[in-house]
Amino acid sequence: HVQLVESGGGSVQTGGSLTLSCTASSLEFDDVDMGWYRQFPGYACELASSISREGESWYAVSVKGRFTVSQDHAKRRMYLQMNNLKPEDTALYYCAGTRDSQIENCARVRPTCVVGVCPNYWGQGTQVTVS
């Protein structure tokens, strides 16, 4: 039973930093593409960053240069280092993984996170609020 658990969210001021963590169980990063999605209040869900099973990272234009995704395979943990945070980064951040598809084939923007089968694994979300 695959489980993804996020942590590290919180409230920060504009220009501050946070590091999100996603701990995976019953899942090997070599077998899945992973991503950080975010659900904006009252708006859409977007893929902020991803890292493929080959280790290739991708960033949305809105976060490029400010966010860094990384993995610790031994700890089965994925991180999202977020620097120079802006109020528009305020969202519920989800860790997600896809085994059967490449994450680039999953919709990068969708009405709601945690729906569909691509990605097929989701965490419960962690709130980030920037004021």
Side-chain angles (χ1 to χ4, degrees), residues 12 15 18 38 65-66 69 80-81 86 88-90 92-93 110 114 116:
V12 295
L18 282 173
R38 53 187 188 173
R66 300 187 297 122
V69 63
L80 186 67
Q81 173 68 44
K86 305 175 181 180
E88 51 263 43
D89 294 316
T90 295
L92 186 58
Y93 283 70
R110 59 187 70 195
V114 200

Side-chain angles (χ1 to χ4, degrees), residues 101-122:
S101 304
Q102 294 179 317
I103 200 163
E104 63 188 17
N105 293 328
C106 304
R108 286 176 175 166
V109 179
R110 59 187 70 195
T112 307
C113 295
V114 200
V115 293
V117 297
C118 184
N120 47 332
Y121 306 123
W122 292 88

Side-chain angles (χ1 to χ4, degrees), residues 39-89:
Q39 182 80 57
F40 296 107
Y43 294 93
C45 167
E46 75 165 14
L47 178 63
S49 179
S50 66
I51 183 164
S52 73
R53 64 204 75 191
E54 293 82 17
E56 295 179 1
S57 57
W58 176 90
Y59 300 95
V61 170
S62 56
V63 308
K64 202 166 188 177
R66 300 187 297 122
F67 290 11
T68 303
V69 63
S70 61
Q71 288 177 330
D72 184 328
H73 284 228
K75 294 182 178 178
R76 293 182 182 176
R77 200 167 289 169
M78 180 175 67
Y79 303 98
L80 186 67
Q81 173 68 44
M82 305 185 295
N83 297 326
N84 191 21
L85 283 162
K86 305 175 181 180
E88 51 263 43
D89 294 316

